[in-house]
């Protein structure tokens, strides 16, 4: 049981390049989330998927797209990377049958855009 | 969403109890208080949560005041590995189930446990 797995762990992009951050969970959770964390700041929600086949915008969705490929996988795509997207990206999932369920986080993807 | 206020940083001696306060004076009746922590370079880790009663688990205790306007996270015997940023979060009101996990993380409290 690996929990939430994110790939890659590190990535460096040039401005304008594209890439997809991958996230997979093996806990059979319905809901999945993408957060970003900038230095010295808390986490901000980018997008989330309440269930397979649905996605919704969070607090800071501009510049990103997401795909809920199946129940296990939720990917985040940067179509044209910008230096402002330099950040640490965390994927999380939750068993939302219970309102009390905590979020389970991956260990992040550290992205630098030059 | 109710906002929370936490001290920027705190120190604690190893082996002593660490008491981390949090103010959430605008909390609504159906909102829970969650605590997470983030050890350097890792994803946030769930610690504990509560509605109005005090809670305890293997990691910590959570004390919520009777008026629910503040709470305290207690790590009973802090170790060096407890050095982390601790986030106090008030969960959003239930909105058809889609608000689960849409937590608002502030800047948290940097807890440093020293020998």
């Amino acid at each position: 049981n690996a929990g939430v797995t994110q790939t890659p762990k590190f990535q460096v992009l040039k401005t304008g390049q594209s890439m997809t951050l991958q996230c997979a969970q093996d806990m059979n959770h319905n809901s999945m989330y993408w957060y970003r964390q900038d230095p010295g700041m808390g986490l901000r929600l980018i997008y989330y998927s309440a269930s397979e086949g649905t996605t919704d915008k969070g607090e800071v969705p501009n510049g990103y797209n997401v795909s809920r490929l199946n129940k296990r996988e939720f990917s985040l795509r940067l179509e044209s990377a910008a230096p402002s997207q330099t950040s640490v990206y965390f994927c999380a999932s939750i068993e939302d049958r219970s309102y009390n369920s905590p979020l389970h986080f991956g260990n992040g993807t550290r992205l630098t855009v030059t | 969403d109710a906002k929370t206020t936490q001290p920027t940083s705190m120190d604690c001696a190893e082996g002593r109890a660490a008491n981390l306060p949090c103010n959430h004076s605008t909390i609504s009746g159906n909102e829970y208080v969650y605590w997470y922590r983030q050890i350097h370079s890792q994803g946030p880790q769930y610690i504990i949560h509560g509605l109005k009663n005090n809670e305890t688990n293997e990691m910590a205790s959570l004390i919520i005041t009777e008026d629910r306007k503040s709470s305290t996270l207690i790590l009973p015997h802090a170790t060096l590995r407890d050095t982390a940023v601790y986030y106090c979060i008030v969960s959003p009101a239930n909105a058809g189930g889609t608000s689960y996990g849409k937590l608002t993380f502030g800047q948290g409290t940097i807890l440093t446990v020293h020998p």
Side-chain angles (χ1 to χ4, degrees):
Chain A
N1 187 340
V4 178
T5 303
Q6 293 184 237
T7 56
K9 289 186 170 56
F10 301 92
Q11 183 70 51
V12 178
L13 292 177
K14 294 186 190 301
T15 297
Q17 287 184 319
S18 62
M19 79 160 294
T20 300
L21 283 64
Q22 307 287 353
C23 175
Q25 51 90 10
D26 61 2
M27 296 171 284
N28 202 36
H29 286 172
N30 288 316
S31 300
M32 298 184 71
Y33 304 80
W34 277 105
Y35 284 86
R36 63 176 285 176
Q37 185 175 34
D38 299 318
M41 296 183 67
L43 282 75
R44 293 182 293 170
L45 181 64
I46 306 171
Y47 269 94
Y48 67 99
S49 171
S51 62
E52 186 178 352
T54 68
T55 60
D56 285 286
K57 296 178 180 179
E59 180 186 354
V60 288
N62 291 344
Y64 305 96
N65 286 303
V66 291
S67 295
R68 183 72 182 269
L69 304 170
N70 48 55
K71 190 170 186 179
R72 288 187 66 248
E73 299 172 287
F74 188 37
S75 63
L76 179 72
R77 182 160 179 85
L78 286 71
E79 290 291 350
S80 179
S84 61
Q85 294 178 304
T86 293
S87 189
V88 182
Y89 291 85
F90 290 101
C91 178
S93 68
I94 195 169
E95 172 50 72
D96 57 7
R97 291 182 183 178
S98 166
Y99 188 62
N100 297 336
S101 299
L103 276 168
H104 296 261
F105 284 87
N107 278 327
T109 294
R110 284 146 185 82
L111 175 67
T112 301
V113 182
T114 61
Chain B
D1 298 354
K3 293 185 178 178
T4 62
T5 304
Q6 299 176 251
T8 302
S9 63
M10 295 183 65
D11 288 333
C12 179
E14 190 177 19
R16 305 296 293 267
N19 298 287
L20 290 85
C22 179
N23 278 316
H24 33 77
S25 58
T26 60
I27 190 170
S28 300
N30 63 347
E31 291 183 310
Y32 286 73
V33 180
Y34 284 81
W35 283 84
Y36 285 77
R37 73 179 182 183
Q38 188 173 23
I39 297 170
H40 182 63
S41 299
Q42 296 182 20
Q45 176 191 25
Y46 165 79
I47 301 173
I48 198 167
H49 73 277
L51 182 63
K52 54 183 177 181
N53 297 321
N54 298 338
E55 302 288 344
T56 296
N57 63 19
E58 65 278 4
M59 291 182 68
S61 295
L62 174 61
I63 309 297
I64 303 174
T65 58
E66 192 168 342
D67 63 8
R68 302 212 321 126
K69 292 185 177 183
S70 65
S71 59
T72 301
L73 178 74
I74 301 172
L75 307 178
H77 305 287
T79 71
L80 299 179
R81 287 175 295 180
D82 291 322
T83 293
V85 180
Y86 286 77
Y87 297 99
C88 169
I89 302 162
V90 174
S91 67
N94 190 351
T98 58
S99 51
Y100 300 162
K102 289 172 63 179
L103 300 181
T104 300
F105 286 75
Q107 296 198 30
T109 296
I110 301 170
L111 175 68
T112 303
V113 181
H114 51 84

